[in-house]
Amino acid sequence: MSVRQARIAVGLTLLIGLLFSGIQIVWDLREEQHKIDRTVNQVLATLRESATQAAYGLDETLASRVISGIFEYDPVYEAELRDNFDNVLARRTKQPTTSNSVLLTEVMFGENQTYEIALFTDDPNGLVGHLKVKIDTDLIADGFLNRASRILLSGILRNLLLGLVLVVFFYTTLTKPLLGIAAQLRKIDPESPDSSIIDLPAHHAHNELGLIVQTTRDLIERVSSTLDRLLETKLQVRDRESRLSAIVQNVADGILTITPTGRIVEYNAATKEILGLMRDETPQGRTLHEFLMPRAIPLLEHSLEELVDRTRNGETVEKRLTLPVLRADHKEIDVSLALRLIPDSSTPLMTAVLSDITMRKRYEEQLVYMANHDTLTNLPNRSLLEHSLSDALQAHKDNAGSRNGATAILFIDLDRFKVINDSLGHDVGDLLLKAVGQRLQKVIRRQEIVGRLGGDEFLIIIPDLKETQDAAILSQAVLDALAPSFDIKGRVLFVTPSIGIALYPSDGEDFPTLMRNADTAMYSAKSSGGGTYHFFTKTMNESAMARLVIENELREALVSNQFELHYQPKLDLRTNRVCGLEALIRWKQPGRGYISPMQFIPVAEETGLIGKIGEWVFREVCRQISEWEAQSLPVMPVAVNLSPRQLIEGHITETISRILAETGTPAAKIVLEVTETAMMQEIKKSAIILEELRHLGLKIAVDDFGTGYSSLAYLKRLPINTIKIDRSFVRDVTIDTDDAAITRTIIAMGHNLGLRVVAEGVETNDQMRFLQECGCDEVQGFLIATPLPAGEIIEYIQRPSVETETEL
């Protein structure tokens, strides 16, 4: 413990002693004050009764004795007893003590204190006088100050002695051993600290000093271990720096250290290769500006200044830019430059990483091209077409006041392309699409855009259409360009387009609306036979919306079971009896009644709902047959119409086989009617599917025979049982010799092929007699009966043949 610390220790001890002595004096002062009050009150209480008697009896002698008794308490220097009329009965005074410490006395006890009590008899209103006493506080203060001085002096001496004892004790037991330990610590080598140098006397081994020494030894040992690890780490860092330097020198990217002005301070080997420098050339000391194309220098300077400014604001920023670099061999390349300020550097420096991205940019450009162009035809794809059309529309909107023209789109769809694709293969179809795209490119002018939407659909955009007629002229040019034959792998192919035209702003103001309306116009052109173009009209849109409503209602009808089956009988002309039925679907919509099949069947065909509807019809026919058999009613073959999409696109064989198995219906009771046109579309596939259906036990009939221009050779190969003469021939057999001749020929041909012949649409007795004379097997039509619900058709079948003949 140093002299300064000893002084502080002694001083603190004295201060603590003074503090406690002061506290004791203050406490005693309070006790003394309370003691005065208690004593005076006790004296007054003792003499109260005597004073009351003296005041009541106006006894001055007794009053004098009371006053004399009060003066037995030394601090009293004045006492007075008065009656209730304020007459003094007895009074006594003496000179109060004069103290040298008047101010201190007033602070401790205040001025001389006066105590006065009222004297009462037992009567509540019996005030008889007053007793007043004055106390000499100076006398009390002198005694108290003498005691306080003794207390304070004894406390100072006691604490001074205690402080000296403590100083000697701590110096002997703590300071001296610590000084010895400090001397030993100074002998330790900082480069190689050894804890064994520190020695500790045995008597300190288990006290706090021993703990300090042991902790110090442990700390020195850890420091020594840490220094060893630091030395090892230093060697590892040097090794890693060497490896890192080797990596930096061998990476493909150029890594440089530059000043904020762009001057090169350090560089790696790849930098010279990227900049095209010779082996003996160095970029050190030169600036990056020297290697850039002039147009890129302002961008670099601005980026360097911005990086420095933002870093000054405390931001950690990396700046990336793409710059054109002119190599030393005068070859221009694109370089990605990443700049970053080096933190905690004594001088402002930056790292710059150069990457040659010339090939990557070319690859990205190629990807962008591929993302926006059709891979087959290299024409713009739907995404690029939408972007181009949106730009054209926006240009019109931005210049609405100065431009009076329009924008037109031509939606092109190839007629019957699916037949070519399915029959000749997709490779031939792809080559044909490429050839079509090439011809379309030759038709358009510089400002027009042609692209492929997908499949066999193409789109031409006319951004600035001056006259509506120009769209018609271009559409005719497309028709003329695609009219000549195409030579694809030695095959001569012909293709015609259907074109729908929509105009901005009359037909729509955005890409989806114009596309939808152009598509509607295209389908209008296709429905009229194809090979032509149609402009969009409001009527087309209303028709399309009506078809959409029907489609949605058809889906609801399937869910809520709004369909019914009516049955039209067929009459055997030899027996004059009903020999079969044809199931015809009817749609009874709540609130609207029956809807004509001519309205919803084409929509069902187009949307693909015909598959589900056809499946429902077949299942319902099977259910009805099973119900009739369970009721022991006469059951005859029932004909079910099969749509072209069911025949070609669906899994019709599996569907029919499953329904027959589920319902337990005999297959011989079902006749499938397929239109001649449907079979001729894909004759080979149709033949295979019909053969599969025949193997299930079903009978096959060709509906609307005579309208599809079928070859007799194909007809012979098809697995059919019956042909049905179309109503268009039957209608005029009695007035048109050509229709009569065709009808006779069909009947004769069918019999020669071993087929039954059915005439549909019979409405007059003359038509009936003609068909009987020609040997027709069966007839059906309104002359026989209209289609009837299941309950009514049974009643009709059970009628006698005589009544049927009479009706006929």
Side-chain angles (χ1 to χ4, degrees):
M1 180 178 289
S2 64
V3 174
R4 181 171 178 273
Q5 290 171 332
R7 287 201 302 268
I8 292 173
V10 172
L12 287 174
T13 305
L14 289 174
L15 286 176
I16 293 171
L18 289 173
L19 177 63
F20 281 102
S21 297
I23 292 172
Q24 183 178 355
I25 291 170
V26 172
W27 183 269
D28 289 347
L29 177 61
R30 290 173 60 86
E31 288 295 321
E32 187 69 25
Q33 291 172 343
H34 293 156
K35 181 179 178 182
I36 294 172
D37 292 340
R38 288 195 302 273
T39 304
V40 172
N41 289 327
Q42 287 175 359
V43 170
L44 293 177
T46 302
L47 299 175
R48 179 188 296 270
E49 185 176 353
S50 299
T52 301
Q53 291 177 1
Y56 180 75
L58 303 177
D59 188 346
E60 294 181 354
T61 304
L62 180 58
S64 297
R65 287 199 300 270
V66 170
I67 296 300
S68 297
I70 292 174
F71 270 83
E72 293 297 325
Y73 180 50
D74 289 340
V76 176
Y77 73 90
E78 181 178 329
E80 182 182 77
L81 177 62
R82 305 190 309 273
D83 61 13
N84 60 336
F85 298 106
D86 211 20
N87 298 314
V88 176
L89 298 179
R91 182 178 184 184
R92 182 179 176 183
T93 62
K94 71 178 181 179
Q95 185 66 30
T97 305
T98 300
S99 173
N100 295 327
S101 303
V102 176
L103 181 61
L104 184 60
T105 301
E106 291 180 357
V107 170
M108 292 187 297
F109 298 100
E111 296 180 352
N112 291 336
Q113 298 181 25
T114 300
Y115 295 86
E116 183 175 350
I117 61 174
L119 303 175
F120 290 92
T121 62
D122 294 337
D123 186 354
N125 297 321
L127 176 64
V128 294
H130 295 82
L131 179 62
K132 181 171 71 174
V133 177
K134 290 186 178 180
I135 303 300
D136 186 0
T137 54
D138 288 341
L139 179 64
I140 298 171
D142 287 342
F144 179 78
L145 287 175
N146 291 333
R147 292 196 306 275
S149 298
R150 289 193 298 274
I151 291 171
L152 187 61
L153 182 60
S154 63
I156 291 173
L157 293 175
R158 182 176 62 253
N159 283 282
L160 178 61
L161 181 61
L162 177 62
L164 293 174
V165 171
L166 289 175
V167 168
V168 173
F169 172 76
F170 281 112
Y171 178 79
T172 304
T173 59
L174 183 62
T175 304
K176 188 174 181 180
L178 286 175
L179 290 174
I181 294 172
Q184 295 175 8
L185 287 174
R186 284 194 291 271
K187 297 178 182 179
I188 295 176
D189 183 5
E191 298 293 330
S192 179
D194 183 7
S195 62
S196 61
I197 294 177
I198 302 176
D199 188 22
L200 182 70
H203 60 278
H204 286 301
H206 300 291
N207 58 19
E208 290 81 358
L209 191 62
L211 180 62
I212 292 174
V213 171
Q214 185 58 44
T215 303
T216 305
R217 286 175 176 173
D218 294 342
L219 179 61
I220 293 173
E221 289 177 0
R222 289 199 297 271
V223 169
S224 177
S225 176
T226 302
L227 287 175
D228 293 340
R229 289 198 301 271
L230 285 174
L231 181 60
E232 182 181 356
T233 303
K234 184 177 180 181
L235 295 175
Q236 292 176 351
V237 168
R238 287 180 181 175
D239 184 47
R240 289 179 181 176
E241 286 179 349
S242 300
R243 290 201 300 270
L244 181 60
S245 177
I247 292 172
V248 169
Q249 293 299 325
N250 288 282
V251 294
D253 293 336
I255 302 176
L256 307 91
T257 302
I258 63 173
T259 65
T261 60
R263 186 168 301 280
I264 300 173
V265 180
E266 295 178 355
Y267 65 93
N268 67 344
T271 302
K272 295 178 63 174
E273 184 177 349
I274 291 175
L275 299 179
L277 298 174
M278 302 296 291
R279 182 173 299 179
D280 57 345
E281 291 183 283
T282 176
Q284 190 170 7
R286 302 169 67 178
T287 64
L288 280 178
H289 305 65
E290 300 177 36
F291 300 98
L292 298 181
M293 297 294 290
R295 64 180 184 274
I297 293 176
L299 176 60
L300 175 62
E301 292 177 344
H302 174 73
S303 299
L304 291 172
E305 293 173 0
E306 182 185 1
L307 187 62
V308 172
D309 292 341
R310 294 180 67 179
T311 307
R312 283 174 184 163
N313 296 330
E315 299 181 50
T316 303
V317 184
E318 181 178 275
K319 191 75 176 177
R320 290 182 175 271
L321 20 149
T322 300
L323 301 172
V325 169
L326 185 63
R327 289 164 45 97
D329 55 5
H330 302 291
K331 180 181 178 182
E332 183 179 344
I333 61 173
D334 291 313
V335 170
S336 172
L337 176 63
L339 297 170
R340 193 181 185 96
L341 203 70
I342 299 176
D344 304 325
S345 177
S346 57
T347 58
L349 292 174
M350 299 181 184
T351 57
V353 180
L354 296 175
S355 303
D356 186 354
I357 60 170
T358 306
M359 295 303 297
R360 191 183 80 189
K361 283 197 69 176
R362 292 177 184 172
Y363 180 66
E364 289 175 351
E365 291 171 357
Q366 184 179 3
L367 288 178
V368 171
Y369 180 85
M370 293 173 63
N372 291 287
H373 288 78
D374 177 52
T375 56
L376 178 63
T377 63
N378 285 327
L379 296 175
N381 60 11
R382 185 183 185 91
S383 175
L384 183 55
L385 288 170
E386 181 175 358
H387 181 73
S388 301
L389 180 58
S390 298
D391 287 346
L393 299 182
Q394 190 60 46
H396 276 284
K397 294 175 183 177
D398 294 341
N399 302 283
S402 58
R403 296 179 65 171
N404 298 320
T407 294
I409 61 171
L410 278 59
F411 194 111
I412 304 169
D413 184 87
L414 303 182
D415 299 328
R416 292 176 290 280
F417 175 77
K418 187 175 185 301
V419 176
I420 297 174
N421 223 19
D422 292 344
S423 58
L424 301 180
H426 289 277
D427 54 340
V428 173
D430 289 346
L431 292 174
L432 178 59
L433 290 173
K434 291 178 66 176
V436 169
Q438 292 168 1
R439 290 193 187 182
L440 291 177
Q441 283 181 301
K442 294 177 181 179
V443 170
I444 65 171
R445 293 171 295 181
R446 183 185 299 270
Q447 70 272 20
E448 295 159 355
I449 304 167
V450 61
R452 182 182 175 217
L453 294 170
D456 59 340
E457 296 177 343
F458 295 84
L459 188 73
I460 295 178
I461 301 174
I462 308 176
D464 194 7
L465 185 71
K466 302 300 182 185
E467 299 289 341
T468 304
Q469 189 61 26
D470 292 343
I473 293 171
L474 181 56
S475 298
Q476 187 59 51
V478 170
L479 295 174
D480 295 340
L482 300 184
S485 63
F486 292 85
D487 186 357
I488 307 295
K489 285 189 174 184
R491 296 178 180 270
V492 178
L493 302 176
F494 290 89
V495 65
T496 59
S498 294
I499 305 174
I501 306 171
L503 306 177
Y504 166 87
S506 58
D507 298 334
E509 296 188 357
D510 53 35
F511 180 83
T513 305
L514 287 171
M515 284 292 295
R516 183 172 64 250
N517 292 337
D519 185 48
T520 301
M522 181 274 295
Y523 273 107
S524 174
K526 190 178 287 290
S527 63
S528 65
T532 186
Y533 61 88
H534 280 185
F535 282 88
F536 173 76
T537 64
K538 184 178 180 181
T539 304
M540 290 180 190
N541 191 42
E542 291 174 352
S543 176
M545 291 301 295
R547 293 172 73 87
L548 180 62
V549 170
I550 291 177
E551 177 185 349
N552 293 334
E553 290 177 346
L554 275 176
R555 297 182 189 277
E556 176 63 25
L558 277 169
V559 174
S560 56
N561 197 25
Q562 296 176 8
F563 293 113
E564 300 176 359
L565 284 185
H566 288 193
Y567 299 88
Q568 187 173 33
K570 299 178 185 178
L571 190 68
D572 189 324
L573 291 178
R574 293 184 178 84
T575 64
N576 203 29
R577 294 188 65 86
V578 176
C579 60
L581 303 172
E582 180 179 0
L584 300 171
I585 190 169
R586 295 292 183 265
W587 180 11
K588 188 175 183 181
Q589 194 176 35
R592 292 178 58 186
Y594 287 103
I595 298 175
S596 171
M598 298 298 292
Q599 287 183 265
F600 69 85
I601 291 298
V603 177
E605 283 277 3
E606 183 179 327
T607 58
L609 290 173
I610 194 66
K612 293 183 179 180
I613 293 175
E615 183 177 343
W616 179 87
V617 170
F618 193 86
R619 184 180 294 276
E620 179 63 17
V621 167
C622 292
R623 188 200 63 78
Q624 189 62 65
I625 290 174
S626 299
E627 182 180 320
W628 285 336
E629 287 184 337
Q631 296 173 1
S632 300
L633 296 174
V635 179
M636 51 196 65
V638 179
V640 178
N641 290 288
L642 202 62
S643 75
R645 292 191 69 160
Q646 280 181 283
L647 179 65
I648 302 303
E649 298 180 10
H651 302 283
I652 189 63
T653 305
E654 293 86 343
T655 300
I656 290 178
S657 177
R658 184 183 72 254
I659 294 174
L660 290 173
E662 290 174 358
T663 60
T665 305
K669 295 293 184 181
I670 304 294
V671 179
L672 294 180
E673 293 190 359
V674 185
T675 62
E676 182 182 17
T677 304
M679 288 191 298
M680 291 302 108
Q681 284 181 0
E682 296 188 41
I683 186 66
K684 293 182 180 179
K685 189 173 182 179
S686 298
I688 294 172
I689 295 174
L690 292 175
E691 189 63 43
E692 292 174 351
L693 294 172
R694 275 284 299 273
H695 280 307
L696 292 178
L698 301 164
K699 295 179 181 179
I700 310 296
V702 180
D703 199 8
D704 300 337
F705 188 80
T707 60
Y709 309 103
S710 57
S711 167
L712 291 178
Y714 280 126
L715 189 62
K716 183 178 179 181
R717 291 168 52 188
L718 290 171
I720 58 178
N721 306 98
T722 305
I723 57 176
K724 297 182 70 175
I725 304 173
D726 186 67
R727 65 181 67 245
S728 60
F729 299 111
V730 175
R731 182 177 59 245
D732 297 327
V733 289
T734 58
I735 58 176
D736 189 318
T737 56
D738 291 338
D739 286 345
I742 291 173
T743 301
R744 288 192 187 95
T745 302
I746 292 174
I747 293 172
M749 180 187 65
H751 289 162
N752 289 333
L753 293 174
L755 305 174
R756 288 184 65 80
V757 181
V758 180
E760 54 184 353
V762 178
E763 297 178 356
T764 67
N765 290 319
D766 292 338
Q767 293 170 350
M768 174 71 82
R769 280 190 291 270
F770 176 84
L771 293 170
Q772 284 178 324
E773 292 171 0
C774 293
C776 185
D777 299 303
E778 302 172 13
V779 294
Q780 69 179 100
F782 289 165
L783 181 65
I784 312 303
T786 59
L788 300 170
E792 296 180 22
I793 197 65
I794 292 299
E795 296 179 4
Y796 181 88
I797 293 172
Q798 292 176 338
R799 294 168 63 185
S801 59
V802 177
E803 293 183 10
T804 304
E805 185 177 6
T806 302
E807 270 193 9
L808 297 177

